[in-house]
Amino acid sequence: MSVPLSILDLVSISEGSTAREGIAASMESAQLADRLGYSRLWFAEHHNTPNLASSATALLISQAASVTERIRVGSGGVMLPNHAPLMVAEQYGTLANIHGDRIDLGLGRAPGTDGMTAQALSRSSAEPQAFARHIYDLQGWFGEEGTARSTPILSSVSQNTEVPIWVLGSTVNGASIAGQLGLPFSLASHFAPDQIDDALRVYRETFRTDAPTARLERPQVMAGINVIVADTDEEAQRQFTTLQQMFLDLRAGRSRKIQPPVDPSEFAGSTPAMLEISAVGSPATVKAQLEEFVERTDADELITVTYAYDPAVRNRSIELLADLWF
């Protein structure tokens, strides 16, 4: 297929395992994705969650870039309200200086956590105009002069790195920001399916090539989708119950680590609507589902999300997906 595939990793922690083991498994998957030809590996920032070890994205990116050779590594994303923009420029400029032109910076306005934790983390505004201004400043820190557009503060470590910035979003609001800034848009359709079509339309309609922040000549969309590929449809559906349990726990306010799969019949009629954008099955089944999603979205790239209780199951899915797509 002509549409590239990438991977979004939230560094899951399975029941009975530790964050250390989850991170180690994530790095093994990174090496596998690098060998198989995936385009990007992104880590998503989350906090106050017992089943995820993806709080410090810059550290995970540095480790993943250290154990891989070709794949682009980045954030999907940094939740900018949790950070001082200057610190983000310095961190990602440092990553670019260490690892070269393989680093991406995806930025989101959501806190990636609950309200109490967001208040404890808060460092900058999530208001759309402030978010856009921070992106403009970040581009200055990554640019030739190494200074923000709104202040003469210098970031020598990020100067001339030109780290690519993506805008993340799940609604028409995020899409509009990305379009008006003339930046690539990563759509969180894998957990927010309600506004997919409207968000894509708004992004493409509002896209400006003449914006001061613009870096593209045409809109660029990367869309998220949950994927589980197994040898049979039945086995894939069984493994998918791990993700179903995770989202049902979220809806019920229950905190658990990643759970082992169960009989799919337990979830008949109760799959969360948030998981509507998923490709689950044998290679032939998943290929058809992915092609349908590409046709619907006209996405330039897909970013896949795969949760599994057993890291070997996840790696097997990554391998089968590469075999059917590349």
Side-chain angles (χ1 to χ4, degrees):
M1 298 295 295
S2 60
V3 176
L5 283 185
S6 296
I7 292 174
L8 178 64
D9 189 356
L10 282 76
V11 193
S12 56
I13 308 172
S14 296
E15 190 68 56
S17 69
T18 64
R20 180 189 295 268
E21 291 168 324
I23 293 170
S26 177
M27 295 306 131
E28 290 181 8
S29 295
Q31 292 175 307
L32 177 63
D34 188 42
R35 292 195 302 270
L36 292 173
Y38 285 85
S39 295
R40 307 174 201 273
L41 170 63
W42 280 8
F43 295 95
E45 176 185 348
H46 284 266
H47 303 276
N48 196 28
T49 49
N51 52 8
L52 303 174
S54 58
S55 302
T57 53
L59 296 177
L60 293 169
I61 289 165
S62 187
Q63 182 62 19
S66 295
V67 300
T68 58
E69 297 178 358
R70 177 203 53 81
I71 196 169
R72 297 192 65 86
V73 189
S75 63
V78 164
M79 300 297 105
L80 195 54
N82 302 339
H83 304 274
L86 175 59
M87 184 64 72
V88 174
E90 292 173 338
Q91 289 177 347
Y92 281 77
T94 299
L95 287 170
N97 276 295
I98 294 172
H99 301 293
D101 184 23
R102 295 172 55 204
I103 305 301
D104 295 324
L105 174 57
L107 297 171
R109 290 193 303 129
T113 187
D114 59 274
M116 179 181 66
T117 308
Q119 186 174 6
L121 290 166
S122 179
R123 293 295 180 272
S124 64
S125 173
E127 191 271 327
Q129 290 299 321
F131 182 69
R133 186 173 65 252
H134 293 325
I135 290 176
Y136 195 42
D137 282 344
L138 280 163
Q139 286 186 335
W141 280 315
F142 290 135
E144 184 177 356
E145 301 299 324
T147 57
R149 309 299 171 87
S150 64
T151 173
I153 295 173
L154 173 69
S155 173
S156 57
V157 74
S158 61
Q159 187 175 5
N160 276 322
T161 57
E162 300 291 351
V163 174
I165 294 177
W166 290 68
V167 174
L168 279 58
S170 58
T171 67
V172 294
N173 293 330
S176 178
I177 292 172
Q180 292 180 57
L181 295 179
L183 292 175
F185 180 50
S186 183
L187 177 64
S189 37
H190 59 290
F191 70 83
D194 291 346
Q195 295 188 37
I196 289 176
D197 301 308
D198 288 339
L200 292 174
R201 175 184 53 78
V202 166
Y203 171 62
R204 289 168 175 142
E205 287 180 353
T206 61
F207 188 82
R208 290 181 53 194
T209 58
D210 61 344
T213 49
R215 292 294 184 272
L216 301 173
E217 295 182 357
R218 55 176 294 274
Q220 183 177 352
V221 171
M222 176 164 54
I225 184 168
N226 302 294
V227 175
I228 283 284
V229 194
D231 293 318
T232 65
D233 288 345
E234 292 74 19
E235 177 58 19
Q237 289 293 339
R238 192 178 79 86
Q239 295 297 336
F240 187 59
T241 63
T242 288
L243 182 57
Q244 290 173 313
Q245 291 177 81
M246 178 180 170
F247 272 75
L248 289 172
D249 283 351
L250 182 65
R251 191 164 68 187
R254 184 168 51 234
S255 295
R256 295 192 295 175
K257 293 183 178 180
I258 300 297
Q259 297 297 302
V262 296
D263 188 330
S265 64
E266 294 187 23
F267 294 94
S270 63
T271 296
M274 295 169 72
L275 298 180
E276 175 186 331
I277 306 303
S278 299
V280 180
S282 65
T285 298
V286 168
K287 183 176 182 181
Q289 292 169 335
L290 291 177
E291 289 173 342
E292 181 180 354
F293 185 58
V294 171
E295 183 176 358
R296 172 183 174 181
T297 60
D298 195 24
D300 301 285
E301 186 173 336
L302 298 182
I303 188 160
T304 63
V305 190
T306 301
Y307 287 95
Y309 172 77
D310 183 350
V313 171
R314 179 174 185 261
N315 288 343
R316 176 62 174 162
S317 178
I318 290 172
E319 289 177 333
L320 290 171
L321 180 58
D323 288 344
L324 70 88
W325 197 258
F326 299 143

